[in-house]
Amino acid sequence: MGFKEIASFVKIEHTLFSLPFVFIGAYMAGDPTVMQLIWILVAAVGARGLAMGLNRIIDKDIDAANPRTAGRHLASGTMSMKTAWTLCAVFLAMLLLGAGMLNPLCLYLSPIPVLAFVIYPYTKRYTWLCHLWLGLCLGLAPAGAWVAIAADVHGWAAITGLDEGGGNFLWFPTIFFISLGVALWITAFDINYARMDVESDRENGIKSFPARFNDQTTTRTSVQLTLLWFACFAISDPMSEIWFL
């Protein structure tokens, strides 16, 4: 299997789409070196590939039952489960290697996104909040990059320590609103994306928001989430400078 097939399997374009927020998280923590940015990139690509691979594996039967997704690699049989698991192992190794080369705290925290990735495919079987869970998974990316740089200086205090005034955690509001904005942005996007599968989701017991609620409620909720993520970005530095140029 060549690079083109692997890139298609893990939707490499989605990884590229998320990288600006990863690097924003890193620069909000300080002045990262070239090597730190490289290892952040390795960890980010590994995390995104692992998330997509696990999603495809766990959702194989669901994808096969949906006409829109029946042509995906595992659902159509063009990729074996052994190959998919091997790719997941490679991506997990990239995540752990990148995290370990950054600092010990990143390595210690690396099971958190892995657990979030494993849980996500099952949420859609039980609750329409699955879209929010996906948003939270993607919202971890800028937060992780921030920790990658901040923990080099502060260690565990990057998570538990307070700022110089003693009133806020070091990560609030510096990276909090960026991560929350990404989470809400992805939630809104995914709710709208699920509109394509309403009938299939209802037939197969998938608890997507559009399958649970009517089209008007879906539109209204999407608009409300969009206003919220815009507000999060608008009040965050350096995003406020970007939005209001």
Side-chain angles (χ1 to χ4, degrees):
M1 175 166 290
F3 175 80
K4 183 177 180 180
E5 289 76 15
I6 295 173
S8 175
F9 176 65
V10 300
K11 293 289 185 181
I12 192 67
E13 64 273 18
H14 292 187
T15 301
L16 298 175
F17 186 64
S18 66
L19 286 180
F21 288 97
V22 172
F23 291 130
I24 284 172
Y27 277 101
M28 290 185 75
D31 188 17
T33 66
V34 172
M35 285 308 302
Q36 283 177 318
L37 292 176
I38 290 174
W39 288 120
I40 287 173
L41 178 62
V42 170
V45 171
R48 189 67 184 83
L50 176 62
M52 185 59 72
L54 290 172
N55 188 51
R56 292 290 187 260
I57 289 171
I58 297 170
D59 279 356
K60 175 187 174 185
D61 293 338
I62 291 176
D63 287 343
N66 184 340
R68 185 181 67 82
T69 58
R72 288 177 176 172
H73 299 75
L74 294 179
S76 64
T78 57
M79 177 186 287
S80 69
M81 290 291 283
K82 180 180 179 180
T83 299
W85 279 115
T86 299
L87 288 174
C88 284
V90 171
F91 286 124
L92 176 60
M94 290 176 62
L95 170 59
L96 296 177
L97 175 63
M101 293 300 294
L102 286 162
N103 56 66
L105 181 56
C106 283
L107 185 59
Y108 294 149
L109 295 178
S110 60
I112 293 177
V114 175
L115 181 61
F117 301 155
V118 172
I119 291 174
Y120 164 65
Y122 295 104
T123 60
K124 67 186 74 171
R125 292 158 168 82
Y126 299 103
T127 175
W128 50 264
L129 292 172
C130 56
H131 308 285
L132 179 59
W133 189 269
L134 177 63
L136 292 174
C137 288
L138 273 294
L140 290 173
W146 183 89
V147 169
I149 305 305
D152 254 9
V153 177
H154 303 287
W156 277 98
I159 303 297
T160 61
L162 301 178
D163 59 22
E164 292 182 359
N168 293 317
F169 288 107
L170 293 175
W171 47 264
F172 184 90
T174 50
I175 195 60
F176 175 80
F177 286 111
I178 290 291
S179 293
L180 180 59
V182 170
L184 295 174
W185 174 31
I186 297 301
T187 301
F189 175 86
D190 198 53
I191 285 176
N192 283 295
Y193 191 76
R195 290 177 189 259
M196 295 188 290
D197 300 322
V198 171
E199 296 304 322
S200 177
D201 286 348
R202 288 172 178 166
E203 291 175 3
N204 294 290
I206 303 303
K207 313 297 184 181
S208 70
F209 193 96
R212 170 64 178 81
F213 300 98
N214 60 37
D215 191 64
Q216 181 180 7
T217 301
T218 299
T219 299
R220 183 171 62 247
T221 302
S222 175
V223 171
Q224 291 168 341
L225 288 168
T226 299
L227 292 173
L228 287 173
W229 68 249
F230 184 89
C232 286
F233 291 160
I235 64 177
S236 300
D237 291 328
M239 294 299 292
S240 58
E241 300 177 9
I242 296 174
W243 286 109
F244 296 109
L245 283 177

